[in-house]
Amino acid sequence: EIVLTQSPGTLSLSPGERASLSCRASQTVSSSDLNWYQQKPGQAPRLLIYAASRRATGIPDRFSGSGSGTDFTLTITRLEPEDSAMYYCLRYGWQYTFGQGTKLEIK
Amino acid sequence: QEQLVESGGGVVQPGGSLTLSCVASAFMLGSFAMCWVRQAPGKGLEWVATNSHDAKSEGYADSVRGRFAISRDNSKNTLYLHLRSLRGEDTALYYCARHYWKNGEGRIDVWGKGTTVIVSS
């Protein structure tokens, strides 16, 4: 079973700064199988990135994904207050696995 | 606008059963694999089950295998999750979601708002 470990657990940054969120897999993951989601309190998750680096429809270009193998990164540039949320990576396959999430706080 | 609406949640005693429903609108359920994902209060997302567009293949998380069953009625554009032998740790918000595939790349791209299951005596 593949385990996804996200770091850091919490990230506190200021508006305009850049955030880098990590998702590390316990074994090699195909890039095509790696997604990133944003979830705000009281809301369903929202797809940000699929296939590790492709932005979903309507997602601003401030959001980008990168990585391969076991290490994947979600980068958010020019942070805005509305980016405050939980962020999850997901690997799908025969079994689906979510990371435990990173909480992003915009001070 | 493509939409999923879940229903059927409620309070159930430990050991009890419940069936959740998820109705799709503005797209054909029969063209997509579908998933259930849950979120316990204050916790992260946990995949529960998936079935293929034709219901011929399905997969379950270890935590629910043998107790939960996913099914669908494509003629009614409706996905189901049958929950039995419920435990306190099954208390969660249950989301229905669509798994979209194209050119070998997949993503869970449409989510419902969820329905809450509380297991309590």
Side-chain angles (χ1 to χ4, degrees):
Chain A
E1 178 188 342
I2 292 178
V3 175
L4 298 180
T5 301
Q6 292 187 239
S7 62
T10 302
L11 189 56
S12 293
L13 295 169
S14 298
E17 290 191 310
R18 171 190 178 115
S20 289
L21 286 64
S22 171
C23 176
R24 180 161 292 176
S26 59
Q27 51 188 284
T28 297
V29 168
S30 172
S31 295
S32 63
D33 300 344
L34 199 287
N35 298 171
W36 287 95
Y37 294 85
Q38 177 192 66
Q39 187 181 34
K40 296 182 179 180
Q43 296 184 15
R46 174 194 182 196
L47 175 67
L48 297 175
I49 301 288
Y50 66 96
S53 61
R54 298 191 189 279
R55 261 187 309 277
T57 303
I59 301 303
D61 61 8
R62 301 186 298 105
F63 292 83
S64 63
S66 62
S68 63
T70 60
D71 290 302
F72 298 88
T73 300
L74 174 69
T75 301
I76 312 169
T77 59
R78 305 185 304 279
L79 284 168
E80 298 180 1
E82 57 262 34
D83 297 331
S84 291
M86 288 292 296
Y87 291 84
Y88 296 94
C89 55
L90 164 69
R91 180 261 178 183
Y92 68 86
W94 184 243
Q95 296 267 299
Y96 293 49
T97 304
F98 285 95
Q100 83 279 17
T102 290
K103 183 177 184 178
L104 176 61
E105 299 174 335
I106 310 300
K107 296 175 287 192
Chain B
Q1 183 180 355
E2 296 165 327
Q3 197 173 0
L4 295 166
V5 178
E6 303 93 336
S7 62
V11 180
V12 59
Q13 291 189 338
S17 300
L18 206 58
T19 294
L20 308 183
S21 301
C22 169
V23 178
S25 57
F27 70 94
M28 300 283 287
L29 195 79
S31 297
F32 298 91
M34 296 294 294
C35 309
W36 288 95
V37 174
R38 69 184 181 183
Q39 189 167 35
K43 302 297 184 182
L45 301 169
E46 179 189 17
W47 169 72
V48 173
T50 295
N51 75 356
S52 58
H53 68 97
D54 56 3
K56 291 184 177 179
S57 298
E58 56 191 39
Y60 296 92
D62 291 344
S63 58
V64 306
R65 187 176 295 112
R67 300 187 301 119
F68 291 10
I70 188 171
S71 68
R72 63 169 69 204
D73 186 337
N74 286 337
S75 68
K76 295 182 178 179
N77 241 27
T78 303
L79 180 74
Y80 302 98
L81 186 67
H82 309 278
L83 297 73
R84 63 181 179 87
S85 302
L86 283 161
R87 307 166 180 166
E89 55 264 37
D90 297 318
T91 294
L93 180 63
Y94 284 73
Y95 292 105
C96 165
R98 183 178 82 174
H99 194 139
Y100 177 87
W101 257 289
K102 186 175 181 181
N103 300 328
E105 297 171 343
R107 55 272 200 190
I108 300 179
D109 67 336
V110 178
W111 296 72
K113 289 181 168 35
T115 186
T116 298
V117 174
I118 298 172
V119 182
S120 174
S121 54

